[in-house]
Amino acid sequence: MTTATRTAQEIEEIARRLRDPARVLAVVEAQDAAAPRPDGEQVRSWLPASLASGYPALALFYGELARHDPAYRSVTHRYLSLAVDALTAAPHHSGLYSGFGAVAFAVECAAHGTSDYTSLRGALRTSLGAAARSALAQETRRLDDGVPADGFQSWDLITGLTGLGCVLLTQQDPDTEVLRGVLGSLVRLTDPLVVDGTCFPGWWVTSQPSSVPQPAFDHGHANLGLAHGILGPLALLSLAWEQGHRVPRQEEAVHTVMEFFARAEERDAEGPYWPRCLPRTRFTAPGGTAVHPSAATGSPLPGPSWCYGTPGLAHTFHLAARAFARPEWAARGQEALCAMLRRPEEAGAVIEPGLCHGWSGIEHVLRRLRSGPDVAEAATVAGARLRAARDLDAPFLYPVPNPHLGQDYQLPGFLGGSAGIGLTLLARENGHAATPWERALLLG
């Protein structure tokens, strides 16, 4: 059996298993009810209006399928209707991945032309614009006051302004005033921030990087990831520039971020890498310069992934290089990628099949880079690891190991689940994405 035939069969099997909303909901609700977390809080693997793990995620997958087989248009429409119902029942805004942004993005990707979903797109455009103006006003007040954010949620890709900018760039008729406001706010995010006499980068936050406290970040951190860190604004500013959406100091902001990464680079025997986050101790008072660690105090390797690791970083460097005609930036990302491929211990950190920090995300980003035979071979290996993760007895074909709970999870959604895996398999089979779903990962 050829690889293309296997891929087509896997796509068909995912589509079959995710097609019935009632079945999907029954599986995730039973799973969540049966698996309380150690701290007593209920696990929630399904959020109805979420692009990561809800109806918009399924609409995204079937919307891509429908471009190749019109029979799936009715399934797409059904999932969009359920997403709209969920949003109507609990209207809210949380960036790209939940609420108005999530549904608006799914609708844009599902539309086959300007006449599809016209009234719905108009209503979502209005709601999204209002939410974005509110978020912008709040972030502008903080920037004007010169105080650090208490978290990255106001400006990151998942819940913040970067994610809203992604939706706006994807819309057929975006609110250009709001989009310019978003881009302008992200430009200001790169201005230095002085706190108690120490100069930090403008995206410095006072919180921990995750819900699991780490002593190194008790006094805050500078996040270098794509999902939650400064790579997200960097990618959006580059993509917007290419599409002709430009604001004052946009190019300067991109150069500022790239210069920051040049200073924050770490190296081991294989080559350069960047940690997920930098703690307060990595900054000095004059100029907010990131301090290079000694060999004895180098940061842990980030692990290969879309969200925080070298694949996402290398792709973002390529975007910036393409947008601003700086080939040395692409070369820097390529050097880091080649160093990653020489580290077998990095691949050992990957235990999931999904897009965010699993094999499908690694494979997809490596295929998008198209940067040499070694990278192509690594993409093939990642694809083989993804196939090995299949379990025909699992409800959604690709169970997700959860070491914290000591069991596998069944996730149907986009970031960690089978819908996202199905999208990467479709891109592998067809050589490209037919809808703009990759914009949700800032890949194009």
Side-chain angles (χ1 to χ4, degrees):
M1 184 186 298
T2 67
T3 300
T5 302
R6 283 198 303 265
T7 300
Q9 290 180 346
E10 289 165 10
I11 294 167
E12 183 178 345
E13 185 62 22
I14 294 171
R16 184 183 69 80
R17 294 178 183 228
L18 296 179
R19 186 168 191 147
D20 181 2
R23 177 181 179 271
V24 169
L25 198 57
V27 170
V28 293
E29 285 184 341
Q31 171 178 262
D32 289 356
R37 289 189 352 188
D39 59 9
E41 184 178 339
Q42 184 181 4
V43 172
R44 299 182 69 191
S45 59
W46 179 259
L47 298 168
S50 167
L51 187 67
S53 55
Y55 294 122
L58 279 297
L60 213 59
F61 172 53
Y62 285 101
E64 180 75 12
L65 274 171
R67 294 296 180 95
H68 306 284
D69 183 352
Y72 286 109
R73 290 202 72 182
S74 61
V75 187
T76 308
H77 183 74
R78 188 176 185 189
Y79 274 118
L80 283 178
S81 296
L82 289 167
V84 171
D85 290 346
L87 190 55
T88 302
H92 67 283
H93 153 64
S94 189
L96 167 61
Y97 274 84
S98 186
F100 295 117
V103 179
F105 184 79
V107 170
E108 291 298 326
C109 290
H112 283 223
T114 56
S115 61
D116 265 9
Y117 305 112
T118 305
S119 60
L120 177 58
R121 289 159 93 179
L124 288 168
R125 183 181 186 275
T126 299
S127 297
L128 190 69
R133 285 182 172 85
S134 175
L136 270 172
Q138 185 173 345
E139 180 70 351
T140 298
R141 286 194 294 271
R142 182 189 70 79
L143 291 167
D144 288 345
D145 290 341
V147 297
D150 58 8
F152 41 66
Q153 292 81 3
S154 63
W155 52 262
D156 75 349
L157 172 64
I158 304 300
T159 61
L161 291 175
T162 300
L164 287 173
C166 283
V167 184
L168 291 164
L169 277 184
T170 307
Q171 287 180 325
Q172 189 80 26
D173 180 28
D175 186 325
T176 54
E177 179 188 349
V178 174
L179 178 56
R180 287 181 60 83
V182 169
L183 296 175
S185 182
L186 296 180
V187 165
R188 292 188 65 188
L189 194 67
T190 67
D191 292 338
L193 183 67
V194 178
V195 182
D196 297 329
T198 298
C199 193
F200 295 100
W203 62 92
W204 176 262
V205 299
T206 58
S207 64
Q208 289 271 347
S210 73
S211 59
V212 180
Q214 302 172 63
F217 302 114
D218 281 344
H219 302 290
H221 75 283
N223 198 303
L224 306 190
L226 183 52
H228 297 297
I230 193 57
L231 281 178
L234 176 63
L236 184 72
L237 290 171
S238 300
L239 289 168
W241 184 273
E242 284 193 315
Q243 290 190 22
H245 298 286
R246 302 177 180 185
V247 297
R249 298 176 53 231
Q250 187 169 341
E251 185 171 9
E252 174 190 334
V254 168
H255 279 258
T256 296
V257 175
M258 291 304 300
E259 288 165 5
F260 176 89
F261 273 94
R263 295 193 303 269
E265 175 191 293
E266 303 190 18
R267 283 184 174 264
D268 63 6
E270 305 300 343
Y273 70 94
W274 284 265
R276 296 162 63 99
C277 307
L278 296 180
R280 184 183 181 93
T281 52
R282 287 288 301 275
F283 298 91
T284 57
T289 303
V291 179
H292 287 277
S294 69
T297 60
S299 304
L301 293 168
S305 66
W306 161 77
C307 57
Y308 271 105
T310 301
L313 176 142
H315 194 281
T316 304
F317 282 13
H318 275 72
L319 285 179
R322 189 179 71 196
F324 297 96
R326 295 293 297 267
E328 68 273 21
W329 294 347
R332 187 182 302 166
Q334 182 70 10
E335 184 186 6
L337 197 62
C338 291
M340 181 199 81
L341 299 179
R342 292 191 290 266
R343 299 186 190 105
E345 68 272 23
E346 281 204 68
V350 183
I351 63 171
E352 295 187 23
L355 261 177
C356 189
H357 35 258
W359 289 115
S360 64
I362 295 169
E363 179 194 5
H364 187 70
V365 176
L366 293 182
R367 289 189 187 281
R368 287 286 273 107
L369 280 166
R370 300 185 182 92
S371 54
D374 290 345
V375 175
E377 174 61 23
T380 300
V381 170
R385 298 284 183 92
L386 175 61
R387 285 199 76 249
R390 290 184 314 156
D391 180 353
L392 294 176
D393 294 326
F396 308 131
L397 195 61
Y398 291 91
V400 181
N402 191 320
H404 300 296
L405 295 177
Q407 66 182 53
D408 287 345
Y409 245 50
Q410 314 303 325
L411 301 178
F414 175 65
L415 276 185
S418 295
I421 293 171
L423 284 163
T424 64
L425 293 176
L426 277 162
R428 181 206 295 174
E429 181 184 47
N430 297 297
H432 66 280
T435 65
W437 70 265
E438 293 175 306
R439 179 60 53 81
L441 303 176
L442 286 169
L443 297 181

